[in-house]
Amino acid sequence: MIYVPYSVPAVLLALALFFKIPTFIRAWRNPEVRATTLLLVWATAAFTVIIPVNIERLNEVTGVPNIAAPWAYSFLTASGATGLAMIMRWSEEPSEHRRRKIRRIYAIYTGMIVVLWVTFFLADAPDVRIYDLDTYYASTPWMREHILLYLLAHFTTCSASAFMLWKWFKAVQNPWLKSGVVFLQGSFVLGLAFDISKLTAITARWSGADWDWLSTKAAPPLALMEGVFAAIGFITPQAGPALKEWNQNRREYRRLRPLWRAVLVLAPAAATARFGYWVPLELRLLQRRQRIHDSLRLLAPYYNTALYHQAYTEADTTYPEPKARAIAGAVAIRDAISAYTNGTPVSVSGQSPRIGAEITDHIDAISVALDSPATANSLHQRATGTESMNAHA
């Protein structure tokens, strides 16, 4: 159970990466898409490596004590470089100057990663330290430089990224992206707090004081929350619109159910594929819409336009205009289905039978009205009674 908090940011970052993969497959040539995907890969790898059980496994598999340190710090540094490049692409117009700055960032951070590995192998760090490596080796030659280098790289990344996002924030119009930027800013602020806690504990060690709790107790939750906020920051712009679209499709799918069930008695022009619940909602919704529109074409010879207008006139005296149209449409569709079942088409001389926009433009509302059969029946009786009286007048 002690490892669970360490796993949360890794899982969330992996989830953010999962949401990004379809976009990467479609647009891998786009530099922004590549940068975002790489950042998530490096960040996920970094937070996966620092899970204590994975640190122990790396030590056992490689036989090198504390080998997880350069791996985690390298992934963290790589994600920082990619993050800075990504934010530059977001906030600056394409130019040769921007390309030079991005290349310079990659070169500097690549050099830092090389130096991280060099200093680690030059250091003498035989004692395995899972939770307090930074303070335990704070005064050890080369290991000291190794630790300070990753903290310096991380501090530079967080401060520069937070500043650039703060400048760019006002120009962001998309609400989902804006929310993502807020979480990313929070992530970088937490990262700065993490660096300050670590550096303060290390400085205290150099002075002979014992403030190790800042590194072992205060800093880890800040790092974990940094990962959580970063994951949410990347997930929100991706998952937010997708979730909104799914919710809209789900509502429409349910609204169309009464009309879809009503037209099931009609023989379709061709056999339709049966989709199960494992099929994406948008495909099931597309099939439901198609079945309804195919059925309306079959109902065209049986559709009574005069009945629709009479029903609308009656409904308009009681209901608001949109609801009156919906109920009148429900009355006319039910009547057409009944006529189809009985084989009694409506004869319209000199005209090809068709169902007009009063039905096809209001499918959702008509379907909802069909779910209230008592209201449609009452209006049908009133409309047909009025129509009969007008015929005998």
Side-chain angles (χ1 to χ4, degrees):
M1 292 298 292
I2 193 172
Y3 298 150
V4 171
Y6 289 88
S7 304
V8 171
V11 171
L12 286 175
L13 284 164
L15 182 62
L17 180 60
F18 173 78
F19 278 114
K20 196 66 182 177
I21 285 174
T23 305
F24 176 74
I25 293 173
R26 289 194 306 269
W28 63 272
R29 293 180 184 274
N30 187 315
E32 292 183 16
V33 173
R34 286 203 305 269
T36 307
T37 307
L38 279 175
L39 187 149
L40 290 172
V41 169
W42 303 139
T44 302
F47 279 95
T48 300
V49 169
I50 67 169
I51 297 173
V53 67
N54 290 338
I55 295 176
E56 294 172 356
R57 287 170 181 165
L58 273 172
N59 290 333
E60 292 172 3
V61 170
T62 62
V64 180
N66 304 306
I67 189 65
W71 276 114
Y73 300 159
S74 295
F75 287 137
L76 195 64
T77 304
S79 69
T82 313
L84 282 172
M86 179 191 66
I87 294 171
M88 283 183 182
R89 289 192 175 97
W90 282 352
S91 56
E92 297 182 18
E93 294 294 327
S95 66
E96 183 59 34
H97 177 65
R98 190 188 74 173
R99 284 192 289 272
R100 283 199 302 270
K101 284 199 299 184
I102 291 174
R103 286 197 296 266
R104 193 177 303 124
I105 286 172
Y106 283 139
I108 292 171
Y109 277 74
T110 300
M112 286 183 176
I113 292 172
V114 171
V115 175
L116 278 171
W117 283 94
V118 170
T119 53
F120 176 78
F121 283 112
L122 287 174
D124 183 20
D127 298 330
V128 175
R129 312 303 298 189
I130 294 179
Y131 299 101
D132 64 344
L133 181 139
D134 295 336
T135 50
Y136 186 84
Y137 287 111
S139 300
T140 302
W142 294 114
M143 199 63 187
R144 172 186 56 217
E145 286 76 13
H146 177 78
I147 294 164
L148 289 175
L149 180 60
Y150 101 82
L151 286 173
L152 174 63
H154 190 248
F155 184 87
T156 302
T157 298
C158 290
S159 55
S161 299
F163 177 71
M164 286 192 293
L165 285 176
W166 178 75
K167 285 180 60 180
W168 182 55
F169 181 77
K170 292 181 180 178
V172 179
Q173 300 298 323
N174 185 293
W176 292 108
L177 181 57
K178 202 161 191 134
S179 299
V181 169
V182 170
F183 279 107
L184 287 176
Q185 283 181 306
S187 169
F188 291 127
V189 170
L190 287 165
L192 289 172
F194 166 85
D195 295 329
I196 291 169
S197 298
K198 288 280 187 180
L199 288 169
T200 303
I202 290 170
T203 304
R205 272 277 182 150
W206 294 342
S207 304
D210 185 359
W211 289 5
D212 288 11
W213 65 271
L214 282 171
S215 178
T216 58
K217 302 295 182 183
L222 293 171
L224 298 180
M225 288 304 298
E226 176 190 1
V228 170
F229 272 53
I232 295 174
F234 284 109
I235 288 173
T236 300
Q238 296 292 321
L243 182 61
K244 182 180 179 181
E245 182 181 4
W246 180 87
N247 194 43
Q248 289 173 340
N249 288 342
R250 180 181 59 86
R251 288 201 303 267
E252 184 178 359
Y253 189 75
R254 288 183 174 178
R255 285 197 304 267
L256 291 176
R257 188 170 186 268
L259 180 54
W260 172 74
R261 287 175 64 90
V263 299
L264 284 178
V265 297
L266 279 65
T272 56
R274 298 182 66 86
F275 287 169
Y277 285 106
W278 60 87
V279 174
L281 178 60
E282 59 268 24
L283 290 181
R284 286 186 280 136
L285 176 59
L286 180 63
Q287 186 193 45
R288 182 163 286 189
R289 288 175 184 154
Q290 189 62 47
R291 178 59 192 271
I292 289 172
H293 285 287
D294 287 346
S295 298
L296 291 179
R297 283 195 290 271
L298 290 175
L299 286 176
Y302 306 89
Y303 175 69
N304 190 334
T305 304
L307 175 62
Y308 169 83
H309 289 295
Q310 189 60 50
Y312 172 71
T313 301
E314 292 290 334
D316 193 41
T317 62
T318 308
Y319 302 102
E321 190 268 344
K323 189 170 183 179
R325 289 189 178 278
I327 298 173
V331 168
I333 289 295
R334 289 184 60 184
D335 182 80
I337 293 172
S338 178
Y340 174 91
T341 305
N342 297 327
T344 55
V346 176
S347 60
V348 182
S349 59
Q351 295 182 18
S352 59
R354 69 181 186 87
I355 293 180
E358 71 276 6
I359 299 295
T360 56
D361 289 354
H362 305 281
I363 293 296
D364 287 22
I366 290 170
S367 182
V368 172
L370 279 170
D371 210 22
S372 302
T375 302
N377 284 337
S378 174
L379 186 62
H380 184 273
Q381 291 173 2
R382 288 161 53 191
T384 53
T386 304
E387 188 178 24
S388 178
M389 285 189 292
N390 289 341
H392 289 85

